[in-house]
Amino acid sequence: MSGMLRRLGGAWLGAGMLVAAVMAAAAGGGFVSNWLSHGSDGPPMANPFEAGFLKAVGVGATATHGNDSVIMCTGEVDIGIEAVYVLDVVTGELKGGVLNIRTGRFMTAYSYSNVAKDLQADSVKNPKYLMVTGEAQSTQGFGGTNGRIGRAVVYIAETNSGWVACYAVPWTPNRATASNPASTSLVLSDRFQFRQGAIVRPQ
């Protein structure tokens, strides 16, 4: 019985040490992380946790938030470079911008004024929009665009008309560090109707 308890205790101790090592590698600090990064006496080595698991899952995030008058969301235009998009619910105008990664100033601007028309919401008294970004697998010639586009597209839906549209974001990598301001239009890639007819709510 005592031998079994010793074996179980050793197993739990080994499991505990393994969990502690993984947590230290994930936190990127402490002896384990330093040893993994630099080795005992040799060139720096990649952290296997970062090079394996985190690389496989991909690290990135998008966000969406809005109210009755404005909706804002974010999406990647390049690896590690994000754009922010703002939809004016009242006018149906969509605008966006990308920060220069060196100066932290908006040097790339986007605009598009026909969202309401695209979604057949220009005659709707109180349009209800939803907006998110999604990944664009192809960055060249997407949706009939002539040039290169960013890594994310913008999806906008209007719940009264039942239409949803996809907008491509023109982008070239040199814009990430460009010091001269530039503006261009977003490109309507395609659209479809997910519901026909206006919503009729019970009184």
Side-chain angles (χ1 to χ4, degrees):
M1 183 69 176
S2 60
M4 181 180 295
L5 290 175
R6 282 196 297 270
R7 287 194 295 274
L8 288 173
W12 280 109
L13 177 62
M17 292 176 65
L18 177 60
V19 170
V22 171
M23 291 177 66
F31 171 78
V32 174
S33 179
N34 290 332
W35 186 83
L36 289 170
S37 299
H38 304 291
S40 55
D41 54 355
M45 297 186 299
N47 184 322
F49 187 78
E50 295 175 356
F53 177 73
L54 289 181
K55 184 176 180 180
V57 223
V59 179
T62 59
T64 300
H65 187 68
N67 54 36
D68 291 339
S69 60
V70 67
I71 305 174
M72 182 167 65
C73 70
T74 60
E76 276 195 337
V77 289
D78 215 328
I79 299 175
I81 302 174
E82 194 174 59
V84 60
Y85 306 98
V86 181
L87 174 64
D88 187 327
V89 174
V90 178
T91 65
E93 186 172 11
L94 177 63
K95 291 188 176 182
V98 182
L99 290 170
N100 179 303
I101 60 175
R102 293 178 179 172
T103 65
R105 299 179 65 86
F106 285 106
M107 288 296 163
T108 303
Y110 297 103
S111 63
Y112 190 88
S113 59
N114 291 326
V115 171
K117 183 178 179 181
D118 293 342
L119 303 181
Q120 296 187 9
D122 42 355
S123 59
V124 175
K125 184 176 181 181
N126 295 305
K128 303 294 182 184
Y129 293 104
L130 299 173
M131 181 168 69
V132 296
T133 56
E135 184 178 354
Q137 294 289 343
S138 171
T139 57
Q140 187 74 36
F142 183 92
T145 57
N146 295 323
R148 186 183 176 93
I149 69 162
R151 290 167 55 88
V153 292
V154 182
Y155 296 107
I156 304 178
E158 203 286 309
T159 60
N160 293 290
S161 66
W163 281 91
V164 60
C166 172
Y167 298 92
V169 184
W171 175 256
T172 52
N174 62 1
R175 289 302 311 162
T177 55
S179 56
N180 56 311
S183 60
T184 187
S185 175
L186 296 172
V187 179
L188 174 64
S189 176
D190 203 2
R191 60 181 188 147
F192 69 90
Q193 192 171 22
F194 62 89
R195 179 196 295 128
Q196 292 187 347
I199 301 175
V200 178
R201 295 184 175 86
Q203 299 297 324

Short mmCIF file of all heavy atoms in Angstrom, two decimals, residues 4-64:
data_model
loop_
_atom_site.label_atom_id
_atom_site.label_comp_id
_atom_site.label_asym_id
_atom_site.label_seq_id
_atom_site.Cartn_x
_atom_site.Cartn_y
_atom_site.Cartn_z
N MET A 4 2.39 1.90 -3.38
CA MET A 4 1.45 2.49 -4.32
C MET A 4 1.29 3.99 -4.07
O MET A 4 1.24 4.79 -5.00
CB MET A 4 0.08 1.81 -4.21
CG MET A 4 -0.98 2.34 -5.19
SD MET A 4 -2.55 1.50 -5.01
CE MET A 4 -2.09 -0.16 -5.53
N LEU A 5 1.22 4.38 -2.78
CA LEU A 5 1.09 5.79 -2.44
C LEU A 5 2.31 6.57 -2.91
O LEU A 5 2.19 7.70 -3.39
CB LEU A 5 0.91 5.95 -0.92
CG LEU A 5 -0.45 5.48 -0.37
CD1 LEU A 5 -0.46 5.57 1.15
CD2 LEU A 5 -1.58 6.30 -0.96
N ARG A 6 3.50 5.95 -2.76
CA ARG A 6 4.72 6.65 -3.22
C ARG A 6 4.70 6.84 -4.72
O ARG A 6 5.08 7.88 -5.24
CB ARG A 6 5.95 5.85 -2.79
CG ARG A 6 6.32 6.02 -1.31
CD ARG A 6 7.75 5.53 -1.05
NE ARG A 6 7.87 4.10 -1.32
CZ ARG A 6 7.66 3.15 -0.40
NH1 ARG A 6 7.29 3.48 0.83
NH2 ARG A 6 7.81 1.88 -0.70
N ARG A 7 4.22 5.79 -5.45
CA ARG A 7 4.16 5.90 -6.90
C ARG A 7 3.15 6.97 -7.32
O ARG A 7 3.41 7.77 -8.23
CB ARG A 7 3.79 4.55 -7.53
CG ARG A 7 4.94 3.54 -7.48
CD ARG A 7 4.65 2.36 -8.40
NE ARG A 7 3.49 1.59 -7.96
CZ ARG A 7 3.54 0.61 -7.08
NH1 ARG A 7 4.70 0.28 -6.52
NH2 ARG A 7 2.45 -0.05 -6.75
N LEU A 8 1.98 7.02 -6.66
CA LEU A 8 0.99 8.04 -6.97
C LEU A 8 1.51 9.44 -6.66
O LEU A 8 1.31 10.39 -7.41
CB LEU A 8 -0.30 7.79 -6.19
CG LEU A 8 -1.15 6.59 -6.66
CD1 LEU A 8 -2.30 6.35 -5.69
CD2 LEU A 8 -1.67 6.83 -8.06
N GLY A 9 2.21 9.56 -5.52
CA GLY A 9 2.77 10.86 -5.15
C GLY A 9 3.79 11.32 -6.17
O GLY A 9 3.84 12.50 -6.54
N GLY A 10 4.61 10.40 -6.67
CA GLY A 10 5.59 10.76 -7.69
C GLY A 10 4.95 11.20 -8.98
O GLY A 10 5.40 12.14 -9.64
N ALA A 11 3.86 10.52 -9.34
CA ALA A 11 3.15 10.89 -10.58
C ALA A 11 2.56 12.28 -10.46
O ALA A 11 2.65 13.09 -11.38
CB ALA A 11 2.04 9.87 -10.86
N TRP A 12 1.94 12.60 -9.31
CA TRP A 12 1.37 13.93 -9.12
C TRP A 12 2.45 15.00 -9.11
O TRP A 12 2.26 16.09 -9.65
CB TRP A 12 0.58 13.98 -7.81
CG TRP A 12 -0.79 13.38 -7.93
CD1 TRP A 12 -1.24 12.22 -7.40
CD2 TRP A 12 -1.89 13.93 -8.67
NE1 TRP A 12 -2.55 11.99 -7.75
CE2 TRP A 12 -2.97 13.02 -8.53
CE3 TRP A 12 -2.07 15.08 -9.44
CZ2 TRP A 12 -4.20 13.24 -9.13
CZ3 TRP A 12 -3.30 15.30 -10.01
CH2 TRP A 12 -4.35 14.39 -9.87
N LEU A 13 3.61 14.67 -8.51
CA LEU A 13 4.72 15.64 -8.49
C LEU A 13 5.20 15.93 -9.90
O LEU A 13 5.43 17.07 -10.29
CB LEU A 13 5.86 15.11 -7.62
CG LEU A 13 7.12 15.98 -7.55
CD1 LEU A 13 6.77 17.33 -6.93
CD2 LEU A 13 8.21 15.29 -6.74
N GLY A 14 5.34 14.87 -10.72
CA GLY A 14 5.78 15.06 -12.10
C GLY A 14 4.79 15.88 -12.90
O GLY A 14 5.16 16.77 -13.66
N ALA A 15 3.48 15.60 -12.71
CA ALA A 15 2.45 16.37 -13.41
C ALA A 15 2.48 17.82 -13.00
O ALA A 15 2.35 18.74 -13.82
CB ALA A 15 1.07 15.77 -13.14
N GLY A 16 2.69 18.06 -11.70
CA GLY A 16 2.76 19.43 -11.20
C GLY A 16 3.93 20.19 -11.79
O GLY A 16 3.82 21.37 -12.15
N MET A 17 5.08 19.55 -11.91
CA MET A 17 6.26 20.19 -12.49
C MET A 17 6.02 20.51 -13.96
O MET A 17 6.43 21.56 -14.46
CB MET A 17 7.49 19.28 -12.33
CG MET A 17 7.93 19.11 -10.88
SD MET A 17 9.30 17.94 -10.72
CE MET A 17 10.58 18.82 -11.59
N LEU A 18 5.35 19.60 -14.69
CA LEU A 18 5.07 19.85 -16.11
C LEU A 18 4.14 21.04 -16.28
O LEU A 18 4.36 21.91 -17.12
CB LEU A 18 4.43 18.60 -16.73
CG LEU A 18 4.01 18.71 -18.21
CD1 LEU A 18 5.23 19.03 -19.07
CD2 LEU A 18 3.33 17.45 -18.66
N VAL A 19 3.08 21.13 -15.45
CA VAL A 19 2.14 22.26 -15.52
C VAL A 19 2.86 23.56 -15.22
O VAL A 19 2.68 24.58 -15.88
CB VAL A 19 0.97 22.05 -14.54
CG1 VAL A 19 0.13 23.31 -14.43
CG2 VAL A 19 0.10 20.89 -15.01
N ALA A 20 3.74 23.54 -14.20
CA ALA A 20 4.47 24.75 -13.84
C ALA A 20 5.38 25.20 -14.98
O ALA A 20 5.51 26.40 -15.27
CB ALA A 20 5.30 24.50 -12.57
N ALA A 21 6.00 24.25 -15.67
CA ALA A 21 6.89 24.60 -16.78
C ALA A 21 6.12 25.23 -17.93
O ALA A 21 6.54 26.21 -18.53
CB ALA A 21 7.64 23.35 -17.26
N VAL A 22 4.94 24.65 -18.25
CA VAL A 22 4.13 25.20 -19.33
C VAL A 22 3.64 26.59 -18.99
O VAL A 22 3.65 27.51 -19.81
CB VAL A 22 2.93 24.26 -19.62
CG1 VAL A 22 1.96 24.92 -20.58
CG2 VAL A 22 3.42 22.95 -20.20
N MET A 23 3.23 26.81 -17.72
CA MET A 23 2.76 28.13 -17.31
C MET A 23 3.88 29.15 -17.37
O MET A 23 3.68 30.29 -17.79
CB MET A 23 2.19 28.06 -15.89
CG MET A 23 0.87 27.30 -15.79
SD MET A 23 0.26 27.17 -14.10
CE MET A 23 -0.09 28.88 -13.77
N ALA A 24 5.07 28.75 -17.00
CA ALA A 24 6.20 29.68 -17.08
C ALA A 24 6.52 30.03 -18.51
O ALA A 24 6.81 31.18 -18.85
CB ALA A 24 7.43 29.05 -16.41
N ALA A 25 6.44 29.04 -19.40
CA ALA A 25 6.71 29.33 -20.82
C ALA A 25 5.65 30.24 -21.40
O ALA A 25 5.94 31.14 -22.18
CB ALA A 25 6.76 28.00 -21.61
N ALA A 26 4.41 30.01 -21.00
CA ALA A 26 3.32 30.84 -21.51
C ALA A 26 3.45 32.27 -21.03
O ALA A 26 3.15 33.22 -21.73
CB ALA A 26 1.97 30.27 -21.07
N ALA A 27 3.88 32.44 -19.78
CA ALA A 27 4.03 33.79 -19.23
C ALA A 27 5.22 34.51 -19.82
O ALA A 27 5.32 35.73 -19.77
CB ALA A 27 4.15 33.72 -17.71
N GLY A 28 6.15 33.77 -20.40
CA GLY A 28 7.31 34.40 -21.02
C GLY A 28 8.32 34.91 -20.02
O GLY A 28 9.17 35.73 -20.34
N GLY A 29 8.29 34.44 -18.79
CA GLY A 29 9.25 34.93 -17.80
C GLY A 29 9.81 33.79 -16.99
O GLY A 29 9.44 32.64 -17.13
N GLY A 30 10.74 34.11 -16.11
CA GLY A 30 11.32 33.13 -15.21
C GLY A 30 12.41 32.32 -15.84
O GLY A 30 12.79 32.48 -17.00
N PHE A 31 12.96 31.38 -15.03
CA PHE A 31 14.10 30.58 -15.45
C PHE A 31 13.79 29.75 -16.69
O PHE A 31 14.57 29.68 -17.63
CB PHE A 31 14.52 29.67 -14.29
CG PHE A 31 15.56 28.66 -14.69
CD1 PHE A 31 16.89 29.03 -14.83
CD2 PHE A 31 15.20 27.34 -14.95
CE1 PHE A 31 17.84 28.10 -15.20
CE2 PHE A 31 16.15 26.43 -15.33
CZ PHE A 31 17.47 26.79 -15.45
N VAL A 32 12.61 29.09 -16.69
CA VAL A 32 12.27 28.21 -17.81
C VAL A 32 12.22 28.98 -19.12
O VAL A 32 12.78 28.56 -20.13
CB VAL A 32 10.93 27.50 -17.55
CG1 VAL A 32 10.50 26.70 -18.76
CG2 VAL A 32 11.03 26.60 -16.33
N SER A 33 11.54 30.15 -19.11
CA SER A 33 11.43 30.94 -20.33
C SER A 33 12.79 31.43 -20.80
O SER A 33 13.09 31.40 -21.99
CB SER A 33 10.50 32.13 -20.09
OG SER A 33 10.40 32.91 -21.24
N ASN A 34 13.63 31.90 -19.87
CA ASN A 34 14.95 32.38 -20.24
C ASN A 34 15.80 31.26 -20.82
O ASN A 34 16.54 31.45 -21.78
CB ASN A 34 15.65 32.99 -19.03
CG ASN A 34 15.01 34.30 -18.61
OD1 ASN A 34 14.44 34.99 -19.44
ND2 ASN A 34 15.06 34.62 -17.33
N TRP A 35 15.72 30.08 -20.20
CA TRP A 35 16.52 28.96 -20.69
C TRP A 35 16.06 28.54 -22.08
O TRP A 35 16.86 28.26 -22.96
CB TRP A 35 16.39 27.78 -19.73
CG TRP A 35 17.30 26.64 -20.10
CD1 TRP A 35 18.61 26.49 -19.78
CD2 TRP A 35 16.94 25.50 -20.89
NE1 TRP A 35 19.10 25.32 -20.32
CE2 TRP A 35 18.10 24.70 -21.01
CE3 TRP A 35 15.77 25.09 -21.51
CZ2 TRP A 35 18.11 23.50 -21.71
CZ3 TRP A 35 15.78 23.90 -22.22
CH2 TRP A 35 16.95 23.12 -22.31
N LEU A 36 14.71 28.52 -22.28
CA LEU A 36 14.19 28.15 -23.59
C LEU A 36 14.59 29.16 -24.65
O LEU A 36 14.80 28.82 -25.80
CB LEU A 36 12.66 28.04 -23.54
CG LEU A 36 12.11 26.83 -22.77
CD1 LEU A 36 10.61 26.98 -22.60
CD2 LEU A 36 12.45 25.52 -23.45
N SER A 37 14.66 30.44 -24.26
CA SER A 37 14.97 31.49 -25.22
C SER A 37 16.46 31.56 -25.55
O SER A 37 16.85 31.86 -26.66
CB SER A 37 14.50 32.85 -24.69
OG SER A 37 13.10 32.82 -24.49
N HIS A 38 17.32 31.31 -24.54
CA HIS A 38 18.75 31.53 -24.74
C HIS A 38 19.59 30.25 -24.64
O HIS A 38 20.73 30.23 -25.07
CB HIS A 38 19.27 32.54 -23.71
CG HIS A 38 18.52 33.83 -23.75
ND1 HIS A 38 18.60 34.70 -24.81
CD2 HIS A 38 17.64 34.38 -22.89
CE1 HIS A 38 17.84 35.75 -24.59
NE2 HIS A 38 17.23 35.58 -23.42
N GLY A 39 19.06 29.20 -24.03
CA GLY A 39 19.84 27.99 -23.89
C GLY A 39 20.89 28.15 -22.81
O GLY A 39 21.07 29.20 -22.21
N SER A 40 21.63 27.09 -22.54
CA SER A 40 22.64 27.16 -21.49
C SER A 40 23.88 27.89 -21.97
O SER A 40 24.44 28.71 -21.28
CB SER A 40 23.01 25.74 -21.03
OG SER A 40 23.41 24.97 -22.16
N ASP A 41 24.33 27.61 -23.18
CA ASP A 41 25.50 28.31 -23.73
C ASP A 41 25.49 28.18 -25.24
O ASP A 41 26.24 27.44 -25.82
CB ASP A 41 26.81 27.72 -23.15
CG ASP A 41 26.90 26.22 -23.37
OD1 ASP A 41 25.91 25.65 -23.88
OD2 ASP A 41 27.93 25.64 -23.08
N GLY A 42 24.66 28.92 -25.88
CA GLY A 42 24.57 28.85 -27.33
C GLY A 42 23.66 29.93 -27.86
O GLY A 42 23.23 30.80 -27.11
N PRO A 43 23.37 29.89 -29.16
CA PRO A 43 22.51 30.91 -29.76
C PRO A 43 21.09 30.81 -29.20
O PRO A 43 20.68 29.76 -28.74
CB PRO A 43 22.54 30.57 -31.26
CG PRO A 43 22.89 29.13 -31.30
CD PRO A 43 23.80 28.88 -30.13
N PRO A 44 20.33 31.91 -29.25
CA PRO A 44 18.96 31.90 -28.75
C PRO A 44 18.12 30.84 -29.44
O PRO A 44 18.27 30.60 -30.63
CB PRO A 44 18.45 33.31 -29.07
CG PRO A 44 19.68 34.14 -29.20
CD PRO A 44 20.73 33.23 -29.74
N MET A 45 17.26 30.19 -28.66
CA MET A 45 16.36 29.18 -29.20
C MET A 45 14.94 29.68 -29.10
O MET A 45 14.60 30.45 -28.21
CB MET A 45 16.49 27.87 -28.41
CG MET A 45 17.88 27.24 -28.49
SD MET A 45 17.92 25.63 -27.69
CE MET A 45 17.50 26.05 -26.03
N ALA A 46 14.08 29.22 -30.02
CA ALA A 46 12.69 29.65 -30.00
C ALA A 46 11.97 29.00 -28.84
O ALA A 46 12.22 27.86 -28.48
CB ALA A 46 12.01 29.25 -31.32
N ASN A 47 11.08 29.75 -28.24
CA ASN A 47 10.23 29.21 -27.19
C ASN A 47 9.26 28.24 -27.85
O ASN A 47 8.47 28.64 -28.69
CB ASN A 47 9.47 30.35 -26.52
CG ASN A 47 8.63 29.87 -25.35
OD1 ASN A 47 8.04 28.80 -25.38
ND2 ASN A 47 8.57 30.71 -24.32
N PRO A 48 9.28 26.94 -27.50
CA PRO A 48 8.42 25.97 -28.20
C PRO A 48 6.95 26.25 -28.01
O PRO A 48 6.13 25.95 -28.86
CB PRO A 48 8.82 24.63 -27.55
CG PRO A 48 9.43 24.99 -26.24
CD PRO A 48 10.10 26.31 -26.45
N PHE A 49 6.57 26.85 -26.88
CA PHE A 49 5.16 27.17 -26.65
C PHE A 49 4.69 28.22 -27.63
O PHE A 49 3.64 28.10 -28.24
CB PHE A 49 4.98 27.65 -25.21
CG PHE A 49 3.54 27.84 -24.83
CD1 PHE A 49 2.73 26.75 -24.51
CD2 PHE A 49 2.98 29.10 -24.79
CE1 PHE A 49 1.40 26.92 -24.15
CE2 PHE A 49 1.65 29.28 -24.44
CZ PHE A 49 0.86 28.19 -24.12
N GLU A 50 5.53 29.28 -27.80
CA GLU A 50 5.18 30.35 -28.72
C GLU A 50 5.28 29.89 -30.16
O GLU A 50 4.45 30.22 -31.01
CB GLU A 50 6.08 31.56 -28.49
CG GLU A 50 5.88 32.20 -27.12
CD GLU A 50 6.87 33.32 -26.88
OE1 GLU A 50 7.74 33.52 -27.76
OE2 GLU A 50 6.79 33.98 -25.84
N ALA A 51 6.34 29.11 -30.46
CA ALA A 51 6.57 28.69 -31.84
C ALA A 51 5.60 27.60 -32.27
O ALA A 51 5.37 27.39 -33.45
CB ALA A 51 8.00 28.19 -32.01
N GLY A 52 5.04 26.86 -31.29
CA GLY A 52 4.14 25.77 -31.62
C GLY A 52 2.69 26.14 -31.47
O GLY A 52 2.01 26.52 -32.40
N PHE A 53 2.21 26.07 -30.22
CA PHE A 53 0.78 26.26 -29.95
C PHE A 53 0.28 27.62 -30.38
O PHE A 53 -0.69 27.74 -31.12
CB PHE A 53 0.52 26.04 -28.46
CG PHE A 53 -0.91 26.28 -28.08
CD1 PHE A 53 -1.90 25.37 -28.43
CD2 PHE A 53 -1.27 27.42 -27.39
CE1 PHE A 53 -3.22 25.60 -28.08
CE2 PHE A 53 -2.58 27.65 -27.04
CZ PHE A 53 -3.55 26.73 -27.39
N LEU A 54 0.95 28.70 -29.92
CA LEU A 54 0.45 30.04 -30.23
C LEU A 54 0.50 30.33 -31.72
O LEU A 54 -0.37 30.99 -32.27
CB LEU A 54 1.25 31.10 -29.47
CG LEU A 54 1.00 31.13 -27.95
CD1 LEU A 54 1.85 32.23 -27.32
CD2 LEU A 54 -0.46 31.36 -27.63
N LYS A 55 1.55 29.81 -32.39
CA LYS A 55 1.66 30.03 -33.84
C LYS A 55 0.55 29.28 -34.57
O LYS A 55 0.00 29.77 -35.56
CB LYS A 55 3.02 29.56 -34.33
CG LYS A 55 3.25 29.84 -35.81
CD LYS A 55 4.64 29.44 -36.22
CE LYS A 55 4.87 29.72 -37.70
NZ LYS A 55 6.22 29.33 -38.13
N ALA A 56 0.20 28.10 -34.06
CA ALA A 56 -0.83 27.30 -34.72
C ALA A 56 -2.20 27.94 -34.59
O ALA A 56 -2.99 27.98 -35.52
CB ALA A 56 -0.86 25.90 -34.11
N VAL A 57 -2.48 28.52 -33.38
CA VAL A 57 -3.79 29.10 -33.19
C VAL A 57 -3.90 30.46 -33.86
O VAL A 57 -4.95 30.85 -34.30
CB VAL A 57 -4.10 29.31 -31.69
CG1 VAL A 57 -5.48 28.90 -31.40
CG2 VAL A 57 -3.19 28.70 -30.77
N GLY A 58 -2.78 31.20 -33.89
CA GLY A 58 -2.79 32.55 -34.44
C GLY A 58 -3.23 33.54 -33.38
O GLY A 58 -4.17 33.28 -32.64
N VAL A 59 -2.52 34.64 -33.26
CA VAL A 59 -2.87 35.64 -32.26
C VAL A 59 -3.40 36.86 -32.98
O VAL A 59 -2.70 37.49 -33.75
CB VAL A 59 -1.64 36.02 -31.41
CG1 VAL A 59 -2.01 37.08 -30.40
CG2 VAL A 59 -1.10 34.79 -30.70
N GLY A 60 -4.64 37.19 -32.76
CA GLY A 60 -5.24 38.34 -33.40
C GLY A 60 -6.63 38.55 -32.85
O GLY A 60 -7.20 37.66 -32.23
N ALA A 61 -7.17 39.72 -33.03
CA ALA A 61 -8.49 39.99 -32.48
C ALA A 61 -9.19 41.06 -33.30
O ALA A 61 -8.56 41.92 -33.88
CB ALA A 61 -8.36 40.43 -31.03
N THR A 62 -10.50 40.97 -33.36
CA THR A 62 -11.30 42.03 -33.96
C THR A 62 -12.35 42.43 -32.94
O THR A 62 -12.65 41.68 -32.02
CB THR A 62 -11.99 41.55 -35.25
OG1 THR A 62 -12.84 40.42 -34.93
CG2 THR A 62 -10.98 41.14 -36.29
N ALA A 63 -12.91 43.61 -33.09
CA ALA A 63 -13.90 44.09 -32.13
C ALA A 63 -14.98 44.85 -32.86
O ALA A 63 -14.74 45.46 -33.90
CB ALA A 63 -13.22 45.00 -31.10
N THR A 64 -16.19 44.79 -32.31
CA THR A 64 -17.32 45.53 -32.86
C THR A 64 -18.14 46.12 -31.71
O THR A 64 -18.36 45.45 -30.70
CB THR A 64 -18.25 44.60 -33.69
OG1 THR A 64 -17.51 44.03 -34.76
CG2 THR A 64 -19.42 45.39 -34.26
#
